[in-house]
Amino acid sequence: MPLASPVLQTTLAGRTPDRQGKVRDLYEFADGLLIVATDRMSAFDYVLGSGIPDKGKVLTQLSAFWFERTRFGYCQPPAVDRSGDVSTSREGGRRLPQRSIDVCPASRAAPD
């Protein structure tokens, strides 16, 4: 079974991302943000030319897992969309819709 080609760039209804990180693309909307994980790879702050197929889907699933398990009583986790379609099924399972929120203060002291 051949692997799918990696998703290195995303578009949303013909729109390019408002910001791009090394691995994730960010789209800004009036009511929140949409973070889309791509299959881009980076090493030492340099984005490499090739990608790893389905890496973005795995990153999104890991994020959803930890957002769900680390929520605090007074902080709400991001709304994780599990339907998975961004603009094509090829980019599905990679998006994390976020709502704009104030900083949720938390502190932790670690022993020396």
Side-chain angles (χ1 to χ4, degrees):
M1 173 186 245
L3 292 174
S5 60
V7 175
L8 302 177
Q9 301 291 327
T10 64
T11 59
L12 184 61
R15 178 180 163 186
T16 59
D18 295 301
R19 287 186 247 162
Q20 275 189 316
K22 289 181 280 185
V23 175
R24 291 181 174 89
D25 292 345
L26 179 81
Y27 296 89
E28 296 181 40
F29 297 96
D31 60 345
L33 305 170
L34 179 65
I35 300 174
V36 182
T38 68
D39 297 332
R40 293 189 296 259
M41 305 190 286
S42 65
F44 305 107
D45 291 334
Y46 179 77
V47 177
L48 303 172
S50 59
I52 300 172
D54 294 331
K55 175 186 173 192
K57 291 180 182 183
V58 173
L59 289 175
T60 302
Q61 291 170 2
L62 283 169
S63 296
F65 175 87
W66 286 111
F67 285 147
E68 186 65 31
R69 281 155 184 79
T70 59
R71 73 173 114 172
F72 299 98
Y74 55 91
C75 297
Q76 294 298 315
V80 177
D81 179 42
R82 300 188 192 284
S83 66
D85 54 45
V86 175
S87 62
T88 67
S89 60
R90 181 173 118 88
E91 295 173 355
R94 303 168 181 278
R95 67 182 188 172
L96 283 172
Q98 308 290 303
R99 57 188 176 276
S100 297
I101 60 171
D102 293 326
V103 174
C104 181
S107 64
R108 179 177 174 180
D112 291 342

